[in-house]
Amino acid sequence: MVLPGYYTFEPITHCSMCGDPTTGHRVLGRRLNKKQGRSPGREKGVCVTIVRCRACGLIYSDPQAVPMSIDDHYGVPPESYWDPAFFVVPEDYFAREVAVSRELLGQGTKRALDIGAGLGYAMVALDKAGYETHGLEPSAPFRDRAISRMNIDPERLRHGTVELTDYPENSFDLINICVVLEHLRDPGAALVRAMHWLRPGGVIHVEVPSSDWLIARLTNLYYRLRLTDYAGNLSPMHAPYHLHEFTVGSFRAHGLKNGYTVVRDAHYVCPTYLPKFLDVIARPLMAWTRTGMEVAVWLRKNG
């Protein structure tokens, strides 16, 4: 675990997505730099405040814990995350997303960029679907394994971050940004940068944690009933290092100012982490109320 001394703590003045001043935003509670468990008040550690934007629903930490280097969080061998069997791409991986992309973009040769390519799963799936696929990966070990174990073309997989890498304007028809924006200091700025690389009429597919996840809400209720001021949202200073949670409204508000439109959205239940007898109730409830763990949006660039 990264020690607190390796961070700087930056105050947040405006919502990264809608631009609303943070002075009136709702404080949800405090978050430890470790897993909190049932009794976080008994744990020792460093806390940051977790806040929700009243205008668009974005959840973020304030101050924002910024590591000295991105490698402090992600510069580790992929084998420490995954079993070696995970170096094989499942046949149906990314099939739903490919189908939607073709529905929105049509057939024919299209250029795609996968931001946060990891081991290259989505790049492999998009290649099979007929896309000319490129990737961007901030972790050098992950990029190395994608090339050596997944046979990704090194000329098409750059090592770098979305904030510091550049592509020519209007380069891609499709950009995929899955499990990325929640890790970034300023997701709104990163999305603007990616939109610059997208051709007019092109689409960006995003998957991020939902601000409205039912389990986080129940966790926060439990903490309040225990008379503590902690929150279960985010994990700014411990794995998986989530800095933000989003609503569809976060993207709609951001799109109004940055030249894109939300053309499709979905909520995915994902694991509930509840006992089985509660899981069978919670899963259909989350599907019905759109309060699953993840939210997906398809963003079309105007023009």
Side-chain angles (χ1 to χ4, degrees):
M1 181 179 72
V2 178
L3 297 176
Y6 287 93
Y7 291 97
T8 57
F9 293 88
E10 299 181 0
I12 307 300
T13 60
H14 292 79
C15 173
S16 175
M17 296 299 287
C18 72
D20 193 58
T22 60
T23 51
H25 290 180
R26 178 189 173 197
V27 173
L28 299 182
R30 294 184 294 161
R31 195 64 161 91
L32 278 167
N33 64 328
K34 60 195 295 186
K35 294 186 182 300
Q36 297 181 152
R38 296 180 179 179
S39 302
R42 298 179 182 177
E43 300 289 340
K44 297 178 180 179
V46 176
C47 292
V48 290
T49 304
I50 305 302
V51 185
R52 181 175 179 125
C53 175
R54 292 188 183 276
C56 77
L58 183 77
I59 292 178
Y60 58 95
S61 64
D62 187 3
Q64 193 76 251
V66 181
M68 296 291 288
S69 168
I70 193 170
D71 286 339
D72 290 339
H73 284 178
Y74 309 114
V76 297
E79 290 82 357
S80 67
Y81 279 108
W82 294 314
D83 185 274
F86 289 3
F87 286 101
V88 178
V89 181
E91 283 296 324
D92 60 348
Y93 183 82
F94 214 60
R96 172 180 57 196
E97 292 76 12
V98 167
V100 174
S101 74
R102 285 303 189 184
E103 181 181 337
L104 295 175
L105 292 170
Q107 301 301 314
T109 302
K110 307 288 183 182
R111 297 184 84 235
L113 173 65
D114 184 22
I115 296 177
L119 293 178
Y121 274 34
M123 291 185 68
V124 171
L126 288 166
D127 271 339
K128 288 182 178 178
Y131 284 89
E132 179 193 316
T133 310
H134 300 259
L136 178 63
E137 172 53 42
S139 167
F142 275 65
R143 178 182 181 271
D144 291 344
R145 298 310 190 283
I147 293 168
S148 63
R149 299 288 297 272
M150 306 296 286
N151 297 316
I152 298 295
D153 182 350
E155 295 297 318
R156 291 192 177 184
L157 180 54
R158 290 192 189 182
H159 173 225
T161 65
V162 65
E163 298 94 337
L164 299 178
T165 303
D166 201 11
Y167 293 93
E169 185 178 2
N170 303 332
S171 292
F172 301 101
D173 302 284
L174 171 67
I175 297 179
N176 181 54
I177 313 178
C178 288
V179 296
V180 171
L181 293 182
E182 64 267 31
H183 300 284
L184 302 184
R185 162 70 176 79
D186 190 347
L191 195 52
V192 168
R193 193 168 180 81
M195 198 64 64
H196 179 76
W197 304 333
L198 191 70
R199 291 171 179 162
V203 295
I204 294 181
H205 168 248
V206 178
E207 286 187 22
V208 285
S210 171
S211 296
D212 297 323
W213 187 31
L214 178 62
I215 305 306
R217 290 181 171 186
L218 293 176
T219 300
N220 292 347
L221 175 61
Y222 169 80
Y223 285 152
R224 287 196 293 273
L225 292 175
R226 292 287 302 269
L227 303 180
T228 68
D229 62 347
Y230 289 85
N233 306 86
L234 307 183
S235 54
M237 292 183 288
H238 67 85
Y241 304 107
H242 286 181
L243 306 182
H244 297 87
E245 294 172 359
F246 302 77
T247 68
V248 176
S250 302
F251 294 95
R252 287 183 177 138
H254 189 260
L256 288 175
K257 297 181 179 181
N258 294 287
Y260 69 83
T261 304
V262 179
V263 293
R264 185 169 300 191
D265 64 83
H267 290 75
Y268 304 139
V269 172
C270 304
T272 65
Y273 304 106
L274 293 174
K276 187 174 182 179
F277 75 97
L278 292 175
D279 184 82
V280 297
I281 300 173
R283 292 185 68 84
L285 176 62
M286 284 190 283
W288 179 50
T289 58
R290 293 167 61 87
T291 55
M293 180 191 290
E294 291 186 1
V295 59
V297 290
W298 291 85
L299 315 174
R300 188 184 297 277
K301 184 174 181 177
N302 297 343

